[in-house]
Amino acid sequence: MKHPITKTSLLTLAGATSILAFSSASAHASGEVNVYSARSEALIAPLLDTFSKENNVKVNLITGNADALLSRLKSEGDASPADVFITVDAGRLYRAKDAGVLQSFDTDHLNNVVPEYLKDREGYWYGLSQRARVILYNPETVSAADLSTYEDLADPKWKGKICIRSSSNIYNQSLVASMIDANGEKQTLEWIKGLVANFARPPAGGDTDQIKAAAAGVCDIAVANTYYFGRLGLSDKPEDRAVFNKLKMFWPNQADNERGAHVNVSGIGITKSSKNTNNAKQLIDFLTNKQSQEWYAKVNNEYPVIDGVAPPKSLATFGDFKADTVSLSVLGENNRQAVTLMDQGGWK
Ligand code: FE
């Protein structure tokens, strides 16, 4: 209760786009927990509200842009009111760890339910949901039999056929970081050069733009995260569903001798400055229970991180897949190298 988030104290700080407080049902909450989230309010607030009511803990939520929230945590330092930080991509979670704004922790529950590869190896963050980076293709121009691996996307047979966003995007940096781990630096640089030579156009736009470009015939293959594709299939807009229906999804690197599809997470950590670590741990245990995982995966069109929870309807048609189980800590550790190689390889 030492650093309550109030509108007056927070509005003076840059980076917040939304402030929301969930008061517990009881007049005397047993404490509070302050959440900084790079995920928008609609994707997390109802869960926090349930937690607040069930546990008699007041939850204060600040949402904002991922990079702005991290800068804010850094500038607030020990004085930060935040207890918990939620963001997407292991590369970004690593940046928060590396910046010294998180602390190592665990709970019996987390140790039991979150797989090793979906958390920081030193316990600075834990995955809350999984997404895979996959190949979307136009079945009128590409045969699934010709697709196989990420590595194969550098084959000259795909010249002028591939859409993928820029190298400044963390999802691509993390994919390359995983490839450095799997294939080494030298081979990864060659791969980047081959991939760039196969681009249908200079990188522009986000993942959804790549998918739409493939549906429009600008390219035959797009690389994007699963939730972007799943979301189009559920859209109220007929033109979005037409994009979804025009393309098919391919799981890369599934053969027995392959490592599996590249996955990444949205994740959560406890801040170094936290004054409410017990409440923070209780909240993180709650977010990784079965009911929360089911809800969170559904609204985000993502895969749960725990066993025994089915993927949401939007992803059900994609079927089962083998995930690359390299520790996601590697994505952060190799990030700088990945950015350097992408630059050297001419990936704009
Ligand atoms: Fe995204």
Side-chain angles (χ1 to χ4, degrees), residues 39 88 131 165 169 171 207 225 227-228 231:
R39 295 223 112 163
V88 297
R131 66 279 297 279
R165 68 201 285 183
N169 171 253
Y171 307 148
D207 278 12
N225 286 351
Y227 55 90
Y228 291 107
R231 199 150 78 188

